Amino acid sequence: MSEERPTSDAAQEETADESRADEARATDADAWAKACAEDLAAEKARRRTQYGAQPGSAAEELRKLVDAVADKLSGLQSPLFGAVASGTAQQMVNQVVQQAKAAVEPVIERNPDVFDHLAAAGSELLAAYRSAVEAQERRWTTPGTGPRDEGTGPGERIDLD
């Protein structure tokens, strides 16, 4: 047989104190998280006003580029076609623009992360190219490192007079 002892008042008060402390910690954590979120939002707003809107993801930027090119192409008036053919040419341009948008949009929607990875890969390739070019330029501009600077070799003196 097991004997169960009734909890004493001190034990009940201790349990109540622990639960109040846990609630206070949770409230403090929520207040801290809320204050951090407010500070972050204020900092983002300050930066937006100072520097303008930050660029979005690569997929969003590609979508903006496609839209800008489409708007520019749609607004072009070609003087080569004349007044009669310009309406037909404009319709053809609009059709091509719409087909291009229809082809690009599903790719952007399905694979937005791919464009971020491609942008990162392009940046890395550019950094590697820049490093190689700088190393080559350093070799060209530093005296005494090329085969031309080995001094005077066994050569023949030519007198032009």
Side-chain angles (χ1 to χ4, degrees), residues 38-102:
E38 289 172 354
D39 288 347
L40 181 62
E43 179 65 19
K44 285 182 178 179
R46 184 188 67 80
R47 287 183 183 232
R48 242 182 273 124
T49 57
Q50 185 175 3
Y51 300 113
Q54 295 294 321
S57 68
E60 291 170 1
E61 294 299 316
L62 179 62
R63 185 175 290 122
K64 288 179 186 176
L65 175 67
V66 168
D67 289 341
V69 169
D71 291 342
K72 190 67 172 176
L73 287 176
S74 297
L76 287 178
Q77 296 292 331
S78 178
L80 300 176
F81 297 122
V84 175
S86 67
T88 306
Q90 189 67 32
Q91 288 176 352
M92 287 176 44
V93 167
N94 289 338
Q95 184 179 4
V96 169
V97 166
Q98 292 304 322
Q99 287 175 350
K101 277 186 172 182

Side-chain angles (χ1 to χ4, degrees), residues 72-147:
K72 190 67 172 176
L73 287 176
S74 297
L76 287 178
Q77 296 292 331
S78 178
L80 300 176
F81 297 122
V84 175
S86 67
T88 306
Q90 189 67 32
Q91 288 176 352
M92 287 176 44
V93 167
N94 289 338
Q95 184 179 4
V96 169
V97 166
Q98 292 304 322
Q99 287 175 350
K101 277 186 172 182
V104 170
E105 282 294 325
V107 174
I108 294 173
E109 292 297 323
R110 277 186 301 223
N111 307 311
D113 294 339
V114 170
F115 296 102
D116 291 331
H117 292 297
L118 286 173
S123 297
E124 291 172 7
L125 283 172
L126 181 62
Y129 175 76
R130 184 179 299 128
S131 175
V133 168
E134 286 175 355
Q136 186 64 34
E137 286 177 345
R138 217 175 297 117
R139 282 188 26 218
W140 288 338
T141 59
T142 305
T145 57

